[in-house]
């Protein structure tokens, strides 16, 4: 019997690890990337790149490629893909589950201001704020509309909109060390850190740096994702899959 085929919705470091774990278990793995990053780090196994064309496109893909299960390892803020995958899996008869890292939690000494989205974060910043924005290149426009706010915008790849001169653009890829984060906040005279609650260790040093420097954190809460089995580790997800589908 051919190996069961699993579609891993990727775009995160965890998705690469999940693809390796499932391959080692004997599954056939197709990892899917949105194609948003120009030089993505590719997972092991088969890779496909680009959107599916909405829910119907994904239903067609699941059926034609005989996908037994979708393992959704997209970023916690990739809400649309998760919603569509959940819906498509139900129609196509594929199992759907998620690999999901825990959100960050405030610690003693933190001063977090939690907001539902980037627009609310931009409104909350006081006039004259010097912000360090680490919200991704698609979420910066609301902040650029504030002529009275400046600072540093950090992202992996350049934005597709012009950034006014009052902002310094820093292009770099995680992980970031605590020393580097402290230096960046000092150099930029940062008064507020703005971040999405992505969770994980690779970008957590900015929260430690903010705590040490007494910088308030404007924390954008995670969007809702569909109710579905969810696992914090690749091994936990692989175990659950094995109980349902022998490779
Ligand atoms: P999104 O808003 O949830 O999805 C937008 C559209 O992009 C989807 O409707 C789908 O197009 C396509 N898409 C998204 N993920 C895909 C995947 N893994 N494979 C194939 N198509 C995909 O997603 P997003 O927030 O733009 O994120 C895009 C990718 O970047 C995701 O893979 C995510 O894991 C990664 N990422 C996102 C963030 C973030 O903060 N949002 C951070 C780091 C990494 P169709 O409707 O045509 O199928």
């Amino acid at each position: 019997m051919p190996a069961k085929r699993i579609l891993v919705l990727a775009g995160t470091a965890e998705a690469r690890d999940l693809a390796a774990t499932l391959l080692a278990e004997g599954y056939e793995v197709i990892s899917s990337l949105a194609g948003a990053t120009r030089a993505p780090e590719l997972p092991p196994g088969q890779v496909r790149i680009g959107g599916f064309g909405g829910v119907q496109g994904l239903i067609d893909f699941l059926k034609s490629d005989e996908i037994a299960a979708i393992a959704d390892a997209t970023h916690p803020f990739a809400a649309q893909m998760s919603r569509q995958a959940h819906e498509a899996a139900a129609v196509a008869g594929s199992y759907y589950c998620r690999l999901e890292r825990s959100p960050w939690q405030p610690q003693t000494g933190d001063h977090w201001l939690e907001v539902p989205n980037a627009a609310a974060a931009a409104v909350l910043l006081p006039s004259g704020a010097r912000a360090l924005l680490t919200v991704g290149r698609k979420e910066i426009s609301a902040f650029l509309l504030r002529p009275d706010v400046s600072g540093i915008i950090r992202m992996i790849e350049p934005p597709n909109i012009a950034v006014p001169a009052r902002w310094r653009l820093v292009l770099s890829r995680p992980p970031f060390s605590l020393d580097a984060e402290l230096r960046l906040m000092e150099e930029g005279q940062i008064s507020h850190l703005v971040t999405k609650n992505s969770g994980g260790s690779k970008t957590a040093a900015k929260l430690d740096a903010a705590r040490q420097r007494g910088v308030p954190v404007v924390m954008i809460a995670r969007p809702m994702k569909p109710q579905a089995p969810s696992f914090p580790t690749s091994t936990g997800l692989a175990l659950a899959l094995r109980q349902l589908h022998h490779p």
Side-chain angles (χ1 to χ4, degrees):
M1 208 169 76
K4 286 271 186 321
R5 200 172 284 151
I6 311 294
L7 175 65
V8 173
L9 297 177
T12 56
E14 288 89 340
R16 293 192 290 277
D17 176 59
L18 177 62
T21 303
L22 295 177
L23 282 168
E25 290 266 336
Y27 291 103
E28 194 182 324
V29 176
I30 304 176
S31 291
S32 174
L33 291 164
T37 313
R38 254 163 262 160
E41 293 178 57
L42 293 181
Q46 291 179 56
V47 177
R48 66 163 298 289
I49 298 180
F52 295 94
V55 177
Q56 190 55 52
L58 182 53
I59 293 170
D60 295 345
F61 180 89
L62 296 175
K63 288 183 175 167
S64 66
D65 283 55
E66 297 178 14
I67 302 293
I70 298 180
D72 180 353
T74 55
H75 189 269
F77 280 77
Q80 182 174 319
M81 187 68 247
S82 294
R83 206 167 44 244
Q84 294 181 177
H86 182 254
E87 194 181 331
V91 176
S94 309
Y95 177 70
Y96 170 89
C97 63
R98 265 204 311 276
L99 180 66
E100 206 158 51
R101 47 173 112 135
S102 305
W104 292 315
Q105 302 291 345
Q107 297 178 23
T108 308
D110 278 338
H111 178 34
W112 282 18
L113 305 154
E114 291 197 72
V115 291
N117 50 45
V123 168
L124 197 70
L125 290 171
S127 190
R130 294 274 308 162
L132 170 58
L133 299 186
T134 62
V135 295
R137 64 191 171 126
K138 290 199 302 187
E139 302 281 6
I140 59 172
S141 51
F143 300 92
L144 304 187
L145 292 173
R146 290 279 310 262
D148 54 340
V149 174
S150 60
I152 297 174
I153 306 179
R154 181 173 66 199
M155 56 184 64
I156 295 176
E157 289 187 350
N160 47 15
I161 53 174
V163 173
R166 63 181 179 278
W167 291 97
R168 177 182 152 205
L169 190 59
V170 174
L171 301 180
S172 53
R173 192 180 281 276
F176 304 110
S177 71
L178 176 58
D179 278 353
E181 298 295 50
L182 285 167
R183 215 168 29 246
L184 190 66
M185 286 187 190
E186 185 170 358
E187 280 168 13
Q189 297 174 292
I190 294 304
S191 66
H192 291 76
L193 168 65
V194 185
T195 178
K196 300 195 281 200
N197 196 338
S198 299
S201 57
K202 288 190 169 183
T203 58
K206 61 190 167 189
L207 302 175
D208 300 330
R211 188 179 314 115
Q212 283 193 24
R213 292 183 62 83
V215 164
V217 178
V218 182
M219 181 63 77
I220 303 173
R222 290 183 176 190
M224 294 286 283
K225 290 218 179 187
Q227 286 281 340
S230 168
F231 305 90
T233 62
S234 295
T235 42
L237 188 150
L239 190 66
L241 269 188
R242 203 186 313 142
Q243 283 160 0
L244 278 167
H245 300 285
H246 284 287

